[in-house]
Amino acid sequence: MRHVDMSTRATAPTAATSAANATRPTAAPGGSAGFGSLLNDVASEVAAYIQHGDPAGGAASALSAEGALLRARATGLIMDGTEGADGVPAPNAVVRPPQQQAFLDSIAPWARQAAQQLGVAPELVQAHAALESGWGQRPLRAPGGASSHNLFGIKAGPRWNGATGDSTTTEYVNGAALTTRERFRAYPDAASAFQDYARVLLDNPRYRTALNTGNDAQAFAQGLARGGYATDPDYASKLARIAGKLQGTVE
């Protein structure tokens, strides 16, 4: 089975830094007066930012670290759990565009179920869906133009009796990229797509080395590539990199 490679459409998550306001006095930790002062300062900063915008013209924000955290959350850019116990963003806080985070959130329940069946971390399944579908922005189409819900680029072979949809894809032959028209599976919903994805990997012995690899993104990606999941010679490295970003192990 060969699968569509839509990896060129995947947008790598970006890293953002929070600028600290060196002129603002530091609140005393622990005491209620210090906390109240800090809260008031942050609220004032955020209010001023909303009213006047970024005084640095967008190049760097004048908000404190705490204010930058609130602003990032308000714009949907920062994930939960990336701040420290003091409420300040951690140096390695995971930040990604809102569309990417919305996609990950939308597939999370099914990714967990498939991951449990495959013996891998949910982030690996989410990364695979992100790579193949361009973070959900370029899904394969079913007849009539509706989404096929095929987030993993699984082709419709002779044994497939379900709905299908044709789509243009890129295949690599002897290292050369060729554009072809192929037939892919179509599903009634995303849940069915994830169920079939897990079944494909479990039933095909070629993907045996990708199973039960836990959190090891490299092993999972290499197992899929060796099994012939895609013809792109860089497929394993692309998948492992996205998975590493979701796991927070790759910047």
Side-chain angles (χ1 to χ4, degrees), residues 38-230:
L38 173 62
L39 184 61
N40 289 335
D41 287 346
V42 171
S44 298
E45 289 176 351
V46 173
Y49 180 88
I50 293 173
Q51 182 176 358
H52 302 295
D54 189 344
S61 173
L63 288 175
S64 66
E66 296 89 344
L69 172 63
L70 295 182
R71 187 186 67 179
R73 280 182 170 171
T75 54
L77 289 177
I78 194 164
M79 295 177 61
D80 290 337
T82 57
E83 68 276 7
D86 56 359
V88 179
N92 60 343
V94 179
V95 181
R96 61 179 55 90
Q99 285 185 333
Q100 291 185 6
Q101 188 59 50
F103 172 70
L104 296 174
D105 293 341
S106 71
I107 65 173
W110 303 304
R112 284 194 295 268
Q113 292 176 5
Q116 186 174 14
Q117 292 179 272
L118 300 174
V120 301
E123 293 84 1
L124 305 190
V125 175
Q126 288 178 303
H128 202 182
L131 175 64
E132 286 288 348
S133 70
W135 294 90
Q137 297 303 302
R138 296 175 178 85
L140 296 169
R141 295 296 174 184
S147 173
S148 69
H149 301 287
N150 188 340
L151 296 175
F152 296 96
I154 302 177
K155 289 183 178 176
R159 296 183 180 180
W160 176 252
N161 296 319
T164 63
D166 293 344
S167 182
T168 301
T169 183
T170 300
E171 299 290 354
Y172 289 80
V173 179
N174 296 325
L178 303 175
T179 300
T180 64
R181 190 82 176 171
E182 302 287 351
R183 179 158 294 181
F184 296 89
R185 301 183 183 188
Y187 308 98
D189 49 47
S192 300
F194 278 84
Q195 291 167 5
D196 188 51
Y197 166 74
R199 187 161 48 245
V200 166
L201 296 191
L202 288 169
D203 292 348
N204 197 322
R206 292 186 302 170
Y207 303 127
R208 186 181 302 114
T209 58
L211 305 179
N212 301 310
T213 49
N215 293 316
D216 193 334
Q218 289 287 347
F220 178 68
Q222 290 171 3
L224 291 178
R226 283 195 298 265
Y229 195 95

